[in-house]
């Protein structure tokens, strides 16, 4: 439409200059044409704004464009066909009823201009402009309805996908809870119950039959050993799968992503040292939570993970180039419900390990999250013994 408008405006100027060379009104025609072109250049940034975002400035702009065009048509009726792109401009800018009314007025103006140019009455000049205007209006309204229907469908699909993902997460959480409860009941709870019965029996026979009592204690000790092994197995099963089979933390962080629309880069600084399992798990979970926030809330294109070994502490930095936020509006630690459980969960993990979590952000300049955990003095000399 923009290209068609400028082609029609240029052809109208050329036609006037060829048909009416040297007329006194020529400077006015050229000046008004340039003014109309400059005004119309503002159209893509104003008239195409969403309806709720339109301001009086948009309507003022449309009034100036239409008023300049009307003066041009009065001076030179050949400029009347520039009205066709203006139909769409009016339909984009005004509410539906006002837009249809303006299109009807522009059409009447076009008919009057064409009849003025014609040396004799031509029925086509009386019928063609209304037909073109009706067709343009019908096409635009149909396209708007289709666009609105597609937008509604896309919104429904996105909402349904989110609800489905939330349902799957809840079902997965419930299934995992049920599995763990059955595992604990069938192993640890049964072992503890057996130990209690054996120790109670040993207490009853301790004075009268020391040999039997000792046998009960030895049996209870064996059951406790098996229970300890089961507990360690459960803890191992709960560890992040990314760290399974001795995968280093740096490699696990390097394999993280934040979705197809975000490019994630990983940097390693300092000489890596063996870290306790709890520290590795906490840092990995913090990185995953931070990247989830980047994907869902920041609108970022790139994110950077930096793992730094600084001698007495290990630091994980997650930076993105998203929209950021005002830090004075960041959710308070005591009120996690204000924005969900992401940051409060990270703070809890870091606090349990004696570390600190800081968030630095500025609107439109991205966000940097930094988690610093202290290293035990022995962590730099020897790895944690295997379980």
């Amino acid at each position: 439409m923009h290209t068609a408008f400028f082609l029609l405006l240029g052809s109208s100027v050329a036609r006037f200059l060829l048909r009416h060379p040297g007329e006194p009104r020529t400077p006015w025609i050229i000046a008004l044409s340039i003014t109309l072109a400059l005004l119309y250049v503002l159209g893509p940034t104003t008239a195409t704004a969403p309806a709720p975002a339109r301001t009086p400035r948009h309507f003022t702009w449309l009034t100036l464009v239409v008023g300049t065009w009307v003066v041009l048509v009065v001076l030179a009726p050949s400029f009347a066909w520039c009205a066709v792109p203006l139909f769409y401009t009016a339909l984009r800018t005004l509410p539906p009823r006002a837009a249809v009314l303006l299109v009807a007025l522009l059409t009447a103006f076009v008919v009057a201009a064409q009849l003025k140019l014609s040396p004799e009455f031509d029925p086509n000049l009386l019928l063609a402009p209304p037909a073109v205007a009706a067709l343009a209006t019908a096409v635009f309204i149909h396209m708007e309805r289709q666009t609105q229907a597609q937008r509604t469908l896309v919104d429904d699909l996105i909402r349904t996908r989110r609800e489905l993902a939330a349902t799957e997460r809840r079902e997965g959480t419930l299934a995992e809870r049920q599995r763990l409860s059955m595992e604990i009941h069938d192993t640890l709870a049964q072992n503890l119950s057996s130990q209690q019965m054996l120790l109670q029996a040993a207490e009853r026979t301790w004075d009268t039959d020391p040999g039997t009592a000792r046998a009960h204690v030895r049996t209870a000790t064996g059951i406790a050993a098996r229970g300890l092994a089961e507990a360690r197995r459960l803890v191992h099963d709960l560890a992040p799968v990314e760290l399974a089979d001795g995968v280093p933390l740096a490699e696990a962080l390097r394999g993280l992503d934040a979705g197809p629309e975000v490019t994630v880069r990983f940097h390693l600084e300092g000489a890596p040292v063996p870290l306790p399992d709890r520290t590795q798990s906490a840092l990995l979970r913090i990185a995953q939570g931070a990247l989830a926030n980047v994907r869902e809330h920041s609108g970022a294109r790139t994110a950077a993970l930096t793992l730094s070994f600084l001698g007495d502490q290990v630091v994980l930095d997650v930076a993105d180039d998203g929209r950021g936020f005002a830090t004075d509006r960041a959710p308070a630690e005591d009120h996690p419900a204000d924005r969900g459980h992401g940051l409060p969960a990270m703070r809890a993990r870091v606090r349990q390990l004696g570390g600190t979590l800081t968030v630095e952000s500025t609107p439109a300049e991205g966000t940097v999250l930094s988690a610093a955990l202290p290293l035990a003095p022995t962590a730099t000399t020897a790895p944690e013994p295997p379980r």
Side-chain angles (χ1 to χ4, degrees):
M1 276 301 129
H2 299 324
T3 302
F5 175 81
F6 287 109
L7 287 175
L8 290 171
L9 182 62
S11 62
S12 298
V13 173
R15 181 181 185 278
F16 178 83
L17 294 177
L18 291 175
R19 297 286 183 90
H20 309 280
E23 285 198 8
R25 54 180 173 163
T26 299
W28 290 101
I29 296 296
I30 295 176
L32 288 172
S33 300
I34 295 175
T35 302
L36 181 60
L38 292 176
L39 287 172
Y40 194 84
V41 166
L42 300 176
T45 60
T46 55
T48 57
R54 292 169 189 158
T55 64
R57 177 187 173 191
H58 301 149
F59 305 124
T60 302
W61 169 83
L62 180 62
T63 302
L64 292 175
V65 170
V66 173
T68 305
W69 173 79
V70 167
V71 175
L72 265 176
V73 175
V74 170
L75 295 177
S78 58
F79 283 84
W81 285 110
C82 294
V84 176
L86 293 182
F87 291 164
Y88 286 97
T89 302
L91 291 168
R92 284 198 311 267
T93 307
L94 297 175
R97 292 184 179 180
V100 172
L101 179 60
L102 180 58
V103 168
L105 293 176
L106 294 178
T107 303
F109 211 73
V110 170
V111 171
Q114 294 302 310
L115 291 176
K116 183 178 179 181
L117 283 176
S118 178
E120 58 184 14
F121 178 76
D122 187 349
N124 287 332
L125 298 180
L126 187 63
L127 299 177
V132 172
L135 178 62
T137 304
V139 169
F140 180 86
I141 293 176
H142 179 68
M143 291 172 58
E144 282 291 300
R145 289 176 178 174
Q146 281 192 327
T147 302
Q148 184 61 36
Q150 291 177 354
R151 187 180 296 112
T152 303
L153 178 61
V154 170
D155 292 340
D156 290 341
L157 289 175
I158 293 175
R159 183 172 58 255
T160 302
R161 185 175 64 180
R162 289 176 177 173
E163 292 175 353
L164 179 61
T167 301
E168 291 177 348
R169 285 196 297 269
R170 286 195 299 269
E171 291 178 352
T173 301
L174 293 175
E176 184 65 11
R177 284 182 180 177
Q178 185 177 9
R179 184 187 73 83
L180 287 175
S181 64
M182 291 189 298
E183 288 273 355
I184 293 173
H185 176 269
D186 295 340
T187 57
L188 298 181
Q190 295 291 349
N191 288 341
L192 289 173
S193 177
S194 299
Q195 292 175 53
Q196 183 183 26
M197 294 175 60
L198 288 168
L199 292 175
Q200 289 174 346
E203 183 181 11
R204 288 193 300 267
T205 60
W206 192 264
D207 295 328
T208 60
D209 191 356
T212 302
R214 293 190 186 93
H216 289 332
V217 171
R218 285 193 296 270
T219 304
T221 302
I223 293 175
R226 291 196 298 273
L228 180 61
E230 287 291 340
R232 286 174 174 171
R233 183 184 65 81
L234 287 174
V235 171
H236 178 73
D237 290 344
L238 291 175
V241 67
E242 293 86 355
L243 298 174
D245 301 325
V247 175
L249 176 62
E251 291 301 320
L253 293 175
R254 196 186 305 275
L256 297 181
D257 66 80
E261 297 180 356
V262 183
T263 301
V264 180
R265 298 184 178 90
F266 174 75
H267 307 280
L268 178 63
E269 297 183 0
V273 298
L275 298 174
D277 290 343
R278 290 186 64 193
T279 301
Q280 294 191 76
S281 298
L283 291 175
L284 181 63
R285 294 307 188 201
I286 290 171
Q288 290 172 329
L291 290 180
N293 288 340
V294 170
R295 178 180 63 253
E296 296 175 8
H297 305 297
S298 72
R301 294 295 183 90
T302 60
L305 291 175
T306 304
L307 181 65
S308 305
F309 291 89
L310 305 178
D312 60 342
Q313 63 178 354
V314 57
V315 180
L316 174 68
D317 296 316
V318 184
D320 66 72
D321 61 354
R323 62 177 62 94
F325 58 90
T327 53
D328 56 353
R329 298 181 183 177
E333 186 174 343
D334 297 333
H335 301 279
D338 293 343
R339 271 179 72 100
H341 302 285
L343 281 177
M346 296 180 200
R347 295 186 191 279
R349 290 182 185 275
V350 171
R351 186 167 54 246
Q352 289 173 359
L353 297 175
T356 58
L357 182 75
T358 59
V359 179
E360 298 178 1
S361 182
T362 303
E365 294 186 10
T367 304
V368 178
L369 180 145
S370 180
L373 299 179
L375 293 178
T378 57
T380 59
T381 58
E384 184 182 12
R387 295 171 297 190

